[in-house]
């Protein structure tokens, strides 16, 4: 049994799946985001910053299906949504303006986005890589960085396998979900990461239930 005492990063099945199987797995992730109220929580965070009729540029890094951006678009009709993903097959099924690009070297000018967001993305990378990603997000963001990522806990680790008989999760969703939780964060680890790039003083870290995620808001200096 995984101890979950420290982060363990392993390669996930999704990256090696054929396109049809990958699409099924990603649709399961959309269901999980919706049912655990992660979409609603993201919109709630943005409503603390913007009025419903506000116009702003929202970049979703590692967007996959683009469901997070779609939730933002529904709540903020005047927002312009950009979905960035390295994999073209993900962008084909995403909504919004699509950018194929590397998150470690964003093909965007400094301060060109009001909001830079990523969901369930940082945990795929080690500490040094996460520092680079955060610095790129900081470079591109004009107003705020929003990050969602998992809380490493045994309840979230066993949620998908235990509920698979009821919700019929794709097999890769179960396997990769457990790997994601094993690679996820405790609060002190997140604070250490943010402090290493001088973002901790501007960061608000909140824990959200039932998604078992941290929601992090970092205000930009611009």
């Amino acid at each position: 049994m995984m101890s979950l005492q420290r982060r363990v990063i392993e390669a996930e099945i999704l990256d090696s799946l054929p396109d049809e199987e990958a699409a099924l797995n990603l649709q399961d992730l959309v269901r999980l985001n919706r049912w655990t109220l992660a979409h609603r929580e993201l919109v709630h965070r943005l409503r603390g910053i913007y009025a419903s009729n506000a116009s702003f540029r929202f970049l979703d890094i590692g967007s996959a299906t683009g469901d997070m951006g779609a939730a933002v678009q529904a709540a903020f009709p005047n927002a312009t949504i950009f979905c960035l993903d390295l994999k073209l097959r993900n962008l084909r099924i995403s909504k919004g303006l699509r950018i194929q690009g590397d998150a470690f070297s964003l093909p965007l000018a400094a301060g060109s986005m009001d909001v830079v967001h990523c969901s369930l993305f940082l945990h795929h990378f080690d500490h040094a890589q996460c520092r680079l990603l955060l610095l790129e997000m900081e470079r591109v963001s004009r107003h705020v960085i929003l990050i969602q990522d998992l809380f490493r806990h045994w309840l979230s680790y066993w949620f998908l396998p235990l509920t698979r008989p009821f919700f019929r999760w794709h097999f890769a969703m179960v396997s990769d979900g457990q790997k994601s939780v094993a690679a996820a964060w405790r609060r002190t680890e997140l604070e250490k990461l943010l402090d290493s790039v001088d973002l901790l003083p501007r960061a608000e870290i909140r824990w959200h239930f039932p998604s078992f995620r941290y929601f992090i808001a970092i205000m930009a200096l611009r």
Side-chain angles (χ1 to χ4, degrees), residues 153-167:
H153 191 277
W154 67 269
L155 282 175
S156 50
Y157 184 80
W158 288 109
F159 174 76
L160 289 173
L162 290 176
T163 60
R164 189 182 185 194
F166 307 101
F167 299 125

Side-chain angles (χ1 to χ4, degrees), residues 26 28 31 37 81-82 98 108 111 132-133 137 140 157 170 173 179 182 197 202 205 213 216:
L26 290 173
D28 271 358
R31 284 199 293 157
L37 308 182
I81 308 300
F82 296 83
R98 292 169 282 190
L108 299 163
L132 294 175
L133 289 169
M137 295 172 76
V140 170
Y157 184 80
H170 190 272
M173 180 70 174
K179 290 177 181 177
V197 286
R202 288 182 277 132
I205 304 173
R213 298 182 193 183
I216 306 164

Side-chain angles (χ1 to χ4, degrees), residues 43 47 52 68-77 81:
V43 169
R47 282 180 174 152
S52 296
M68 288 292 177
V72 173
Q73 188 76 84
F76 299 91
I81 308 300

Side-chain angles (χ1 to χ4, degrees), residues 15-30:
D15 293 334
S16 61
L17 288 177
D19 289 356
E20 290 185 4
E21 289 289 318
L24 293 173
N25 184 86
L26 290 173
Q27 287 305 316
D28 271 358
L29 183 58
V30 174

